[in-house]
Amino acid sequence: MFQGNAVRLQALDNGLVELVLDLQGESVNKLNQLTQDDLQQAVSWLTEHAEEVNGLIISSAKFLFIAGADITEFSSLFDRSHADIEQWLWKTHNTLCALEELPFPTVAAINGVALGGGLETALAADYRILAEDAKIGFPEVTLGICPGWGGSVRLTRLIGVESAMDWLISGKAYPAKVAKSLGLADAVVSSDSLRDEAITFLKDVVAKGDAYKTKREFKYAIQKNDEVWKASIAAVKEQYSKKLSPHYPAPLAILALATSHPTLVFRDALAVEAQCFATLSLTDAAKSLTGLFMNDQVLKRKSKAAAKLAHPVNKAAVLGAGIMGGGIAYQSASTGTPIIMKDIREEALDLGLHTASGIMDKAIQRGRLDEAGKEKVLSNITPSLEYDGFEAVGYVVEAVVENPKIKAAVLSETENHISDIAVLASNTSTISITELAKSLRKPERFCGMHFFNPVHQMQLVEVIRGEQTNEETIATTVAYANAMRKTPIIVNDCPGFLVNRVLFPYFNGFNRLLLDGVGIERIDTVMETFGWPMGPAYLADVIGLDTMVHADQVLQEGYPERMTHDGVVIIEGLLAQGALGQKNGKGFYEYGKDESGKRFKKVAAAAQALIDEQVDTSLEISDADIIARMMIPMCLESVRCLDEGIVESSAEADMGLILGLGFPRFRGGPLRYIDTLGLDVFAEKVRSFGHLGGLYQLPESYQARLDAETRFF
Ligand SMILES: NC(=O)c1ccc[n+]([C@@H]2O[C@H](COP(=O)([O-])OP(=O)(O)OC[C@H]3O[C@@H](n4cnc5c(N)ncnc54)[C@H](O)[C@@H]3O)[C@@H](O)[C@H]2O)c1
């Protein structure tokens, strides 16, 4: 029988054969090239020896069935031609079709997960038995592609277009019981007895003779292209088309795909899907989104390495119960690390607890939490006006007011109350970690732990290494951030760290556009159409104009040669008029409710008047040039951060901006964006705006990259 390095065949009794998925040297099964080749050989063996076989069970020797295709193989695949990609797909199509056409019944026994190519393999079997804790789904859409090995074709025929659309467009993994209710699973059994039950099931099926063939006929059946069908397809298209973003070609293509192929002969439908896959895999969005997956792997590897060196944090403390302190306390408590929340004001403690309660009340309303769960989280937060209990904590995050003197005093006072092995961190947004460390006896056990607002929603935590911070401190911070279900990115200390350092040049570009007479709303609309969740004016209002002005000044001081403003700073003028942004409903926009209670946002007359006072010109500018003038400063600052070692890799720089700022995911991050445009094209654009000053100058390293024809990824 066949014995490969990823797949083997083994004989069971009564002429039954087991195809075991067991990729050697890996903890999980993937449908990588090796597995595809092995699968092809195993199926060939079964075809050639069909006379000797009565039935087949497909099982996994690992804790999951198949995790999906090997995405690390995608980047080289996506550089190939459309025809090459289709040809590559057909190799495995032919294997799965041959598996599907074997002249005996086949049963897939699914444990753990079967995702993407894993589920496609399972759908080629006649029957699927799922372990009760198994999950199955098609995550391809999250990578900017569609299933390529018949997933959309088989799924649509098995569960109908409407349900299939949900699966294919959401990219979610569904639990076994959902699969059973839709008829995708023939039985759901306990995980311990999965293999035995699947064999018993197969024996029953074999005893029923040709009954399994009806399952195949059902899959091969062609949908009549009649009026009823056309109406139902029109309804599905209507339901989804408004929700889908033009920036993400995959969901739109999947909608067109899965509503078109059910009326085709099975093999023709596979061909349509293969063409769709090849087309999508050549899009910039697919390259960016698969790139993000790879970037995420880089972060996971770093977290894994840090976990080995980290000191365990069983209990923590946070100083300050304000917006950030309250959020940090909630996040720590709700993810299982009890935390002391210390403030100097009783009412601040009440407010901190109230904020945590509010977050959980919303979760209760959505059915994601119950009262007992809420009480448990609250019992994990100990409000305090004193340092009681600090000697037993492994980690302290300082989140008091953004004032270097107060912070230095609070940090050095705290150091007297904690053990020698505890780590102390500051959530400062703008103060140098190396400077703050000067007030400490143990600067090596101090670093930055920069959360973003609102803490419970924002995924990123910048872990800032000061000059004296040691590796154990960094590792412990990374591990604690992971325990809080956040994504830590390690950065070296510099003004603005990574995210704000890169964000404020973008705002600087915005200020220059305003001074050139380009309208607030126009800039916001152009940048939102580019893909940002909100334009710069709206974002400034959300951040708060006081915070904006403060951070902007820190960055101007840090990098005067390029970040000093050329002309009046509009946010400073707005702040001087008492506008704080959304906090007080006054900023670039006015916020309020109309007579019918509907929320509105409109350009604030005061902001417009302030700009009009400063501006006596109205530049004719294209949308493309607005985008360029906004994005160039941000992208170049990202390059500088990479050059200076503020972040170690392009992957981390891009992930920081995706997770910390909401950089459009389909563009992959600022460095991927340069790669997509082409380094030479981007350089040309930068040069064309060189007259605008320091923010529009290529760093020296860029020329070296151009000469060496290297890319960021
Ligand atoms: N708000 C944001 O968007 C944001 C985002 C990232 C980082 N940060 C940083 O987080 C820190 C806190 O910001 P915030 O917005 O939560 O401020 P905040 O004003 O809402 O809260 C600060 C809290 O610190 C308390 N406090 C003052 N002195 C104290 C002391 N000696 N001991 C204990 N508590 C004390 C105050 O009573 C107050 O409750 C700042 O360093 C800020 O730069 C803020």
Side-chain angles (χ1 to χ4, degrees):
M1 278 194 172
F2 176 74
Q3 170 80 47
N5 287 316
V7 174
R8 64 176 177 271
L9 293 175
Q10 58 194 36
L12 305 175
D13 55 6
N14 299 327
L16 303 187
V17 173
E18 182 170 13
L19 185 155
V20 185
L21 300 156
D22 190 9
L23 181 58
Q24 297 305 294
E26 297 272 357
S27 56
V28 296
N29 288 322
K30 295 180 265 191
L31 206 51
N32 60 0
Q33 198 56 58
L34 176 71
T35 309
Q36 291 169 50
D37 293 344
D38 270 13
L39 200 58
Q40 185 189 30
Q41 291 189 58
V43 172
S44 293
W45 189 95
L46 288 162
T47 310
E48 282 159 27
H49 297 80
E51 302 254 305
E52 304 154 33
V53 183
N54 291 329
L56 177 77
I57 163 176
I58 306 168
S59 69
S60 159
K62 308 227 187 267
F63 69 94
L64 53 72
F65 188 74
I66 302 178
D70 185 346
I71 293 158
T72 58
E73 291 177 352
F74 278 7
S75 48
S76 58
L77 176 71
F78 290 3
D79 283 338
R80 286 154 67 173
S81 70
H82 197 284
D84 263 11
I85 296 170
E86 277 190 74
Q87 202 182 7
W88 176 82
L89 288 171
W90 271 107
K91 218 174 143 216
T92 296
H93 263 323
N94 289 333
T95 304
L96 294 184
C97 287
L99 171 69
E100 199 159 45
E101 286 158 16
L102 288 169
F104 44 78
T106 54
V107 173
I110 300 171
N111 61 328
V113 297
L115 299 175
L119 181 52
E120 289 176 302
T121 306
L123 292 187
D126 299 319
Y127 302 90
R128 282 155 293 282
I129 312 295
L130 265 64
E132 61 199 347
D133 55 357
K135 283 191 168 178
I136 62 175
F138 285 110
E140 285 84 349
V141 69
T142 61
L143 299 172
I145 49 177
C146 64
W149 289 314
S152 78
V153 177
R154 293 186 176 93
L155 184 76
T156 308
R157 288 167 192 232
L158 286 167
I159 67 174
V161 174
E162 278 178 40
S163 301
M165 284 319 303
D166 247 3
W167 282 54
L168 297 169
I169 287 187
S170 74
K172 274 198 243 161
Y174 289 85
K177 61 175 192 294
V178 174
K180 175 82 172 55
S181 69
L182 290 169
L184 265 191
D186 296 277
V188 176
V189 301
S190 107
S191 338
D192 298 339
S193 58
L194 173 67
R195 184 170 173 274
D196 291 346
E197 300 240 22
I199 293 173
T200 308
F201 187 95
L202 179 60
K203 284 181 179 162
D204 285 352
V205 170
V206 170
K208 286 184 190 146
D210 281 350
Y212 71 93
K213 289 187 179 162
T214 18
K215 294 280 267 182
R216 293 186 189 176
E217 280 155 19
F218 185 63
K219 251 194 265 179
Y220 296 143
I222 299 171
Q223 171 63 47
K224 250 202 235 149
N225 197 5
D226 57 16
E227 291 311 313
V228 178
W229 165 256
K230 283 181 186 153
S232 73
I233 287 306
V236 170
K237 285 193 169 165
E238 169 74 17
Q239 184 192 344
Y240 283 97
S241 49
K242 282 190 206 116
K243 284 194 232 158
L244 302 180
S245 155
H247 292 309
Y248 291 85
L252 286 165
I254 288 170
L255 183 63
L257 171 73
T259 50
S260 72
H261 64 49
T263 57
L264 301 178
V265 172
F266 192 77
R267 282 253 172 182
D268 292 347
L270 293 183
V272 170
E273 186 198 76
Q275 281 168 16
C276 183
F277 180 100
T279 304
L280 285 172
S281 62
L282 295 175
T283 61
D284 291 336
K287 291 192 174 100
S288 295
L289 293 168
T290 45
L292 289 187
F293 177 89
M294 307 297 291
N295 292 351
D296 199 44
Q297 299 297 306
V298 171
L299 298 184
K300 288 205 170 100
R301 274 198 295 279
K302 287 212 160 178
S303 288
K304 221 169 155 186
K308 290 188 190 140
L309 197 62
H311 191 80
V313 175
N314 301 319
K315 195 163 188 193
V318 61
L319 302 165
I323 299 171
M324 298 305 287
I328 293 164
Y330 163 75
Q331 194 64 30
S332 183
S334 64
T335 50
T337 309
I339 188 160
I340 303 171
M341 178 172 70
K342 181 185 178 306
D343 206 289
I344 46 173
R345 296 178 299 122
E346 187 77 52
E347 62 274 23
L349 292 175
D350 292 343
L351 197 66
L353 287 174
H354 184 74
T355 307
S357 283
I359 296 169
M360 288 187 279
D361 287 342
K362 280 197 188 131
I364 291 173
Q365 274 167 20
R366 292 197 193 112
R368 293 197 190 144
L369 188 74
D370 56 18
E371 284 294 338
K374 176 181 164 184
E375 284 315 308
K376 194 165 169 232
V377 173
L378 287 178
S379 73
N380 263 346
I381 304 177
T382 310
S384 175
L385 293 171
E386 308 296 336
Y387 285 101
D388 296 347
F390 270 58
E391 66 289 348
V393 303
Y395 207 99
V396 183
V397 189
E398 169 278 309
V400 305
V401 282
E402 187 75 348
N403 173 316
K405 281 200 186 121
I406 297 179
K407 280 201 192 283
V410 169
L411 287 167
S412 86
E413 184 178 271
T414 307
E415 212 180 19
N416 295 326
H417 296 274
I418 56 176
S419 76
D420 284 350
I421 50 167
V423 168
L424 191 51
S426 175
N427 182 45
T428 179
S429 313
T430 54
I431 306 169
S432 159
I433 294 302
T434 301
E435 281 304 309
L436 282 177
K438 289 184 179 154
S439 60
L440 297 173
R441 279 184 288 110
K442 291 197 196 65
E444 68 282 4
R445 298 205 66 78
F446 175 68
C447 68
M449 190 177 194
H450 186 213
F451 290 85
F452 290 75
N453 185 20
V455 176
H456 68 289
Q457 282 174 355
M458 298 296 290
Q459 195 52 39
L460 181 68
V461 171
E462 282 180 299
V463 175
I464 302 129
R465 193 199 315 260
E467 267 169 25
Q468 299 193 60
T469 310
N470 68 20
E471 280 313 303
E472 196 189 324
T473 299
I474 293 292
T476 303
T477 309
V478 167
Y480 182 40
N482 277 318
M484 289 168 100
R485 299 202 200 115
K486 296 291 168 196
T487 305
I489 290 185
I490 303 164
V491 305
N492 282 325
D493 193 15
C494 69
F497 314 133
L498 169 69
V499 172
N500 282 335
R501 175 169 165 182
V502 170
L503 175 62
F504 278 82
Y506 170 86
F507 279 128
N508 199 314
F510 170 55
N511 196 64
R512 281 159 200 263
L513 281 169
L514 292 177
L515 296 185
D516 278 341
V518 187
I520 298 170
E521 248 178 337
R522 169 144 188 239
I523 302 170
D524 269 9
T525 307
V526 168
M527 297 317 289
E528 283 161 17
T529 309
F530 175 81
W532 284 97
M534 49 186 101
Y538 189 26
L539 179 60
D541 281 358
V542 169
I543 292 174
L545 298 185
D546 47 349
T547 308
M548 284 285 302
V549 167
H550 172 68
D552 185 53
Q553 284 170 351
V554 169
L555 283 147
Q556 287 192 64
E557 271 167 40
Y559 312 99
E561 66 288 4
R562 56 181 182 280
M563 297 206 199
T564 305
H565 284 270
D566 188 16
V568 174
V569 186
I570 300 297
I571 47 171
E572 288 180 7
L574 289 172
L575 184 63
Q577 290 179 355
L580 296 176
Q582 273 199 331
K583 281 183 233 186
N584 68 350
K586 286 187 213 150
F588 284 102
Y589 294 97
E590 269 170 44
Y591 303 85
K593 285 187 182 164
D594 64 18
E595 286 134 16
S596 62
K598 224 172 123 197
R599 284 178 191 280
F600 71 80
K601 160 181 154 251
K602 61 173 190 198
V603 171
Q608 194 56 59
L610 183 92
I611 294 168
D612 291 345
E613 263 172 40
Q614 306 299 331
V615 178
D616 53 9
T617 163
S618 174
L619 183 72
E620 291 272 331
I621 186 170
S622 66
D623 288 356
D625 279 357
I626 292 180
I627 293 168
R629 283 181 55 170
M630 293 294 298
M631 295 305 297
I632 286 171
M634 173 175 267
C635 291
L636 290 182
E637 205 58 37
S638 304
V639 175
R640 289 192 164 93
C641 284
L642 187 66
D643 287 350
E644 291 171 24
I646 299 303
V647 270
E648 207 174 285
S649 62
S650 305
E652 286 157 289
D654 274 6
M655 288 305 271
L657 292 228
I658 295 263
L659 301 175
L661 286 183
F663 192 101
R665 292 178 64 82
F666 67 95
R667 297 196 188 274
L671 299 177
R672 169 79 60 181
Y673 177 59
I674 301 178
D675 270 0
T676 304
L677 291 177
L679 265 71
D680 47 351
V681 173
F682 180 73
E684 212 38 58
K685 201 80 195 158
V686 175
R687 289 190 196 106
S688 74
F689 290 112
H691 59 281
L692 293 175
L695 281 178
Y696 296 85
Q697 306 301 323
L698 291 168
E700 272 175 34
S701 68
Y702 200 95
Q703 190 55 49
R705 283 191 169 90
L706 279 176
D707 294 343
E709 294 186 9
T710 53
R711 294 154 56 103
F712 293 99
F713 291 95

